[in-house]
Amino acid sequence: MTRNKHSEEFKSIEDEYFSTKDSTKVIRVLPKRSPDGCAVVLLQFGKWDPDELEFMDFKRMIATCYVQMMRDPMTQINGIRAIFDYEGTSFRHFRYGTPQNLYMYYNMGFNCIPGRYRSTHFINHSVLLKPVWAFIKQFISAKMRSRIHFHSNIEDLLEYFPRSVLPAEYGGDLTDLSSKDWVRRANREQASNSIGGQPNVY
């Protein structure tokens, strides 16, 4: 129902944006899975410039990546672990955290995209995130709240991920994170391969 009512939220963005806008680097699917087979996605919200990439296109890009990740049978079975990095964010980012937008993201993530969200890790968060979290958590089940972790320092991630999975900037071993091509390909595929009816082989 939500996808029919808000179908524009699930459309791909202009392909040329990946060559002209640095904001498309905000989301990356890391090249290695966690030991339990989960896909690991990194979102660096500070890399999004609202003046460069409109909020609607930002939402579309994030939704597209999550939908396309679910085409992989390994991800369908094992799930997703996400790292949300808020370094570099400010009020110009959080002003989009209206109750309407927050509920839309909750509904999209849990009701429109059939993903298994195994854990979500928040790092470099500011006091601006507290009222946002206070609003969102009232809609999330106790089970899902137990899978959400707020970290006071980056090193805490090593308690949940091996170094081989994490980028070097987070204390890991990964130095080649050129997943921009993956995100661009996922964006292209979104037009013809939505969440239902497409081959699983990506």
Side-chain angles (χ1 to χ4, degrees):
M1 180 177 178
T2 299
R3 292 194 62 175
N4 289 332
K5 186 177 180 180
H6 301 283
S7 59
E8 70 278 0
E9 308 281 354
F10 295 90
K11 294 180 179 178
S12 56
I13 64 175
E14 295 291 333
D15 183 71
E16 66 181 49
Y17 289 175
F18 292 93
S19 300
T20 60
K21 299 181 186 293
D22 287 337
S23 292
T24 55
K25 299 176 182 177
V26 69
I27 184 169
R28 291 185 287 184
V29 179
L30 299 185
K32 293 188 178 181
R33 293 178 176 271
S34 61
D36 56 0
C38 291
V40 182
V41 58
L42 171 66
L43 292 99
Q44 297 172 304
F45 292 102
K47 292 186 176 182
W48 171 45
D49 181 353
D51 296 325
E52 178 191 57
L53 187 69
E54 294 184 0
F55 183 52
M56 175 60 80
D57 288 327
F58 171 79
K59 291 188 293 182
R60 287 171 173 168
M61 183 175 66
I62 301 300
T64 289
C65 287
Y66 271 85
V67 167
Q68 293 300 316
M69 275 194 291
M70 295 310 303
R71 292 180 61 192
D72 190 317
M74 282 283 289
T75 304
Q76 295 170 16
I77 295 170
N78 298 309
I80 298 168
R81 297 190 183 277
I83 301 171
F84 289 180
D85 186 352
Y86 286 88
E87 183 178 9
T89 57
S90 63
F91 177 74
R92 69 176 187 153
H93 295 93
F94 283 97
R95 66 190 177 95
Y96 292 98
T98 63
Q100 180 181 9
N101 285 335
L102 293 175
Y103 181 76
M104 179 206 65
Y105 266 120
Y106 158 79
N107 193 38
M108 182 184 296
F110 289 97
N111 297 326
C112 300
I113 301 174
R116 300 185 64 193
Y117 304 105
R118 301 294 295 275
S119 68
T120 302
H121 303 263
F122 293 88
I123 59 174
N124 295 317
H125 47 85
S126 70
V127 294
L128 293 173
L129 186 62
K130 291 183 178 180
V132 173
W133 169 241
F135 177 82
I136 292 178
K137 72 177 182 180
Q138 63 184 313
F139 301 107
I140 301 176
S141 67
K143 177 181 178 180
M144 293 308 300
R145 288 199 299 269
S146 70
R147 298 180 177 183
I148 295 176
H149 310 276
F150 290 85
H151 302 294
S152 57
N153 57 70
I154 291 176
E155 289 73 21
D156 288 349
L157 290 175
L158 294 173
E159 298 179 15
Y160 298 86
F161 299 93
R163 293 183 184 276
S164 59
V165 170
L166 293 175
E169 62 189 294
Y170 298 102
D173 298 331
L174 293 178
T175 55
D176 183 9
L177 298 177
S178 55
S179 61
K180 182 178 179 180
D181 290 339
W182 186 96
V183 177
R184 188 171 191 172
R185 190 170 74 251
N187 181 71
R188 290 172 177 169
E189 291 287 328
Q190 180 71 353
S192 56
N193 294 312
S194 61
I195 199 62
Q198 76 285 340
N200 279 327
V201 180
Y202 195 74

